[in-house]
Amino acid sequence: MRLILFGPPGVGKGTQAKLLSAKLSIPHISTGDMLREAANEQTELSKKAKAIMDTGHLVSDDIMIGIIRDVMQSPKCRNGFILDGFPRTLPQAKALSSVLSELHLKLDVVINMEIDDEEVVQRLSKRLTCKGCGTIYNLNIDRLPDTAKCPKCGGSLYQREDDKPETVRKRLRVYSDSTSPVKEYYRGLGLLKNVHGIGGIEEIHHQILSLLSHR
Ligand code: AMP
């Protein structure tokens, strides 16, 4: 299964990708996570990428396409993948199509998750992520005994720099200007399936599984 989880920031792509990855035994490829990990390495390139991410802009297509080309060719993607956060522009989508066709592979489906902008701002201002295991918490839903520590692994919880409300609004504008046209590209290829991003995590997970089984 080769699938893309598509949708605005905060719609729940990362959460759903983790569940699907466990269920389908295929890797979750999050370009945002990869960039955040690289940022810890403190190279010139990763410092530049972090500065861009922190303001809610997009990292350049050249860099992102290079990253995705390497991942697609790696053994871990041999049996499939779940892409989260890529592609975010039309050139990225087209580059992904060419890499896959060079590898004689085809995308199976693009799941388009939708949500209102105000819900995103609300959600992301309450999102905490664990530095240790990557679990995502929402203070509106999860009752955490200690908001500094992950109840699963004891790792420290942090708020992403780009989850501050003004940066979230910037990311939503970038999504609407640069990323949402990618939807039409996949609609044209007959790969797009829609899911509403509001509802319980398990409920949305089952809706996605049902879409996958009825393709
Ligand atoms: P995410 O974790 O998917 O919300 O990504 C966080 C940030 O990483 C984005 O706001 C961008 O700055 C950068 N980023 C992640 N994926 C991409 C991509 N495919 N193209 C450009 N920038 C990206």
Side-chain angles (χ1 to χ4, degrees), residues 13 31 34 42 62 66 73 82 96 105 111 124 189:
K13 300 186 296 293
T31 44
M34 291 172 77
Q42 300 288 327
D62 282 358
Q73 288 169 340
I82 301 161
L96 177 64
L105 300 174
I111 306 278
L124 294 190
L189 296 178

Side-chain angles (χ1 to χ4, degrees), residues 58-128:
L58 294 183
V59 174
S60 79
D61 283 342
D62 282 358
I63 293 178
M64 297 315 300
I65 291 168
I67 291 177
I68 219 67
R69 179 172 280 281
D70 287 349
V71 182
M72 290 294 120
Q73 288 169 340
S74 71
K76 74 171 177 180
C77 287
R78 197 170 292 145
N79 297 321
F81 52 78
I82 301 161
L83 274 180
D84 156 16
F86 189 98
R88 262 176 152 100
T89 63
L90 217 41
Q92 291 182 15
K94 291 183 177 166
L96 177 64
S97 295
S98 1
V99 175
L100 291 177
S101 103
E102 281 164 29
L103 297 169
H104 307 289
L105 300 174
K106 275 207 165 89
L107 267 182
D108 290 299
V109 61
V110 177
I111 306 278
N112 175 41
M113 301 176 70
E114 299 206 322
I115 191 176
D116 290 341
D117 284 5
E118 268 321 297
E119 174 71 21
V120 168
V121 179
Q122 286 305 317
R123 271 192 196 183
L124 294 190
S125 65
K126 301 283 176 189
R127 171 163 82 173
L128 292 179

Side-chain angles (χ1 to χ4, degrees), residues 26-213:
I26 46 175
H28 167 202
I29 311 290
S30 155
T31 44
D33 286 350
M34 291 172 77
L35 291 169
R36 279 183 289 278
E37 272 160 35
N40 297 329
E41 287 161 18
Q42 300 288 327
T43 62
E44 273 317 303
L45 190 63
S46 67
K47 278 190 214 158
K48 270 190 201 148
K50 183 169 183 329
I52 294 170
M53 290 165 76
D54 286 351
T55 56
H57 289 91
L58 294 183
V59 174
S60 79
D61 283 342
D62 282 358
I63 293 178
M64 297 315 300
I65 291 168
I67 291 177
I68 219 67
R69 179 172 280 281
D70 287 349
V71 182
M72 290 294 120
Q73 288 169 340
S74 71
K76 74 171 177 180
C77 287
R78 197 170 292 145
N79 297 321
F81 52 78
I82 301 161
L83 274 180
D84 156 16
F86 189 98
R88 262 176 152 100
T89 63
L90 217 41
Q92 291 182 15
K94 291 183 177 166
L96 177 64
S97 295
S98 1
V99 175
L100 291 177
S101 103
E102 281 164 29
L103 297 169
H104 307 289
L105 300 174
K106 275 207 165 89
L107 267 182
D108 290 299
V109 61
V110 177
I111 306 278
N112 175 41
M113 301 176 70
E114 299 206 322
I115 191 176
D116 290 341
D117 284 5
E118 268 321 297
E119 174 71 21
V120 168
V121 179
Q122 286 305 317
R123 271 192 196 183
L124 294 190
S125 65
K126 301 283 176 189
R127 171 163 82 173
L128 292 179
T129 309
C130 172
K131 273 206 170 116
C133 65
T135 301
I136 298 162
Y137 297 97
N138 187 304
L139 294 177
N140 285 335
I141 304 166
D142 302 302
R143 298 275 160 259
L144 300 178
D146 178 354
T147 53
K149 251 193 190 161
C150 174
K152 277 195 195 158
C153 77
S156 41
L157 298 178
Y158 72 103
Q159 183 184 38
R160 278 170 45 174
E161 187 60 35
D162 58 352
D163 278 350
K164 308 221 160 104
E166 57 290 359
T167 315
V168 171
R169 287 186 210 281
K170 169 77 201 160
R171 288 162 69 200
L172 285 168
R173 280 198 299 278
V174 169
Y175 177 79
S176 135
D177 294 346
S178 308
T179 308
S180 69
V182 174
K183 235 187 303 188
E184 299 318 313
Y185 175 74
Y186 287 121
R187 205 192 305 278
L189 296 178
L191 292 172
L192 202 73
K193 301 266 181 198
N194 295 312
V195 165
H196 200 34
I198 297 272
I201 290 172
E202 283 297 323
E203 185 189 336
I204 296 172
H205 176 58
H206 285 107
Q207 282 177 31
I208 295 177
L209 289 179
S210 153
L211 282 181
L212 297 182
S213 63

